[in-house]
Amino acid sequence: AQKVTQAQTEISVVEKEDVTLDCVYETRDTTYYLFWYKQPPSGELVFLIRRNSFDEQNEISGRYSWNFQKSTSSFNFTITASQVVDSAVYFCALSEAFGSARQLTFGSGTQLTVLP
Amino acid sequence: ETGVTQSPTHLIKTRGQQVTLRCSSQSGHNTVSWYQQALGQGPQFIFQYYREEENGRGNFPPRFSGLQFPNYSSELNVNALELDDSALYLCASSLATGGLNYGYTFGSGTRLTVV
């Protein structure tokens, strides 16, 4: 069975601070995908990144960066110089790479509030 | 390229009634998945449709059923509504080919309230 844990329920930071959102996962699959999604108040899940389990290189996209460590089953997400527009709920998710349905298993989310 | 659209955006139903939610897939996508997101929780997988057949199902009772049409749009039907069915229902489309699934595009969801 797959499981994703986001231990941080809520985080509040002041604008321009850096913030890291933690994600720990469990899976028996040797090949899998990890995702991060952003959910603003409108409800739509906005795709941020997909990472293949074979690729442990860290990735940076503008103010966003991701640290994937297979040894600790973690896929953490850092926002540098946070902005008020970053306020949202962030979800980490896991799916098998092969198989019939490849459903997403989500964590419970982290509510990020960036204060001006 | 149009995204995933869901209708209606909000809905209020009475316990015991039936409801149908609709989803139009993103252009070029052939797979549709439905998720239920209760307040304060992460989305939970309900089921997925590929080539008009159910292709996987989460831990939901049979009163949750669906359809996928030749144009890849989809419906989620819920019978005998219960108060706990109140949630945001999200539809996600994707392209599945050659045994691989290339990412998911989500709609904005339908907020269902059962009273």
Side-chain angles (χ1 to χ4, degrees):
Chain A
Q2 299 183 330
K3 184 179 179 181
V4 176
T5 301
Q6 295 180 255
Q8 304 152 308
T9 306
E10 297 181 25
I11 298 177
S12 183
V13 298
V14 177
E15 202 170 21
K16 298 184 182 177
E17 286 186 350
D18 298 347
V19 58
T20 295
L21 310 183
D22 298 333
C23 173
V24 175
Y25 63 92
E26 296 175 28
T27 181
R28 295 179 182 174
D29 296 329
T30 55
T31 306
Y32 49 89
Y33 287 115
L34 293 163
F35 301 79
W36 275 95
Y37 283 89
K38 174 181 180 180
Q39 188 174 44
S42 61
E44 181 178 357
L45 284 169
V46 178
F47 170 82
L48 296 177
I49 190 172
R50 181 182 76 167
R51 173 51 51 86
N52 186 308
S53 55
F54 283 118
D55 182 2
E56 292 195 63
Q57 283 190 339
N58 291 331
E59 183 160 339
I60 298 175
S61 176
R63 298 185 296 108
Y64 296 168
S65 62
W66 291 269
N67 184 321
F68 175 33
Q69 297 209 351
K70 207 168 181 178
S71 60
T72 57
S73 297
S74 66
F75 186 43
N76 297 336
F77 172 33
T78 297
I79 302 175
T80 303
S82 60
Q83 300 176 0
V84 173
V85 293
D86 295 328
S87 297
V89 181
Y90 291 85
F91 290 97
C92 180
L94 168 70
S95 82
E96 57 186 359
F98 303 102
S100 59
R102 290 175 289 274
Q103 67 191 70
L104 288 167
T105 299
F106 286 87
S108 55
T110 297
Q111 170 73 62
L112 173 65
T113 302
V114 181
L115 302 170
Chain B
E1 175 180 280
T2 58
V4 175
T5 57
Q6 293 186 243
S7 62
T9 54
H10 294 84
L11 200 55
I12 299 176
K13 287 287 189 178
T14 303
R15 188 172 48 183
Q17 285 187 315
Q18 177 267 344
V19 68
T20 297
L21 310 182
R22 295 178 174 82
C23 171
S24 294
S25 305
Q26 178 170 312
S27 176
H29 285 182
N30 58 10
T31 301
V32 174
S33 303
W34 286 91
Y35 289 80
Q36 180 196 64
Q37 185 179 13
L39 197 61
Q41 298 182 21
Q44 300 289 317
F45 176 72
I46 302 175
F47 44 54
Q48 181 182 89
Y49 277 82
Y50 173 65
R51 292 185 175 178
E52 302 177 49
E53 292 191 359
E54 189 178 290
N55 191 37
R57 189 178 185 92
N59 189 26
F60 281 82
R63 59 189 186 84
F64 285 78
S65 63
L67 286 172
Q68 185 183 31
F69 300 100
N71 66 354
Y72 305 122
S73 65
S74 177
E75 288 182 354
L76 164 65
N77 299 291
V78 187
N79 293 322
L81 284 167
E82 301 177 359
L83 297 180
D84 284 349
D85 295 332
S86 296
L88 178 67
Y89 288 85
L90 293 163
C91 171
S93 72
S94 58
L95 174 63
T97 179
L100 296 177
N101 198 324
Y102 297 91
Y104 307 83
T105 302
F106 282 84
S108 296
T110 294
R111 173 75 62 188
L112 173 65
T113 302
V114 182
V115 297

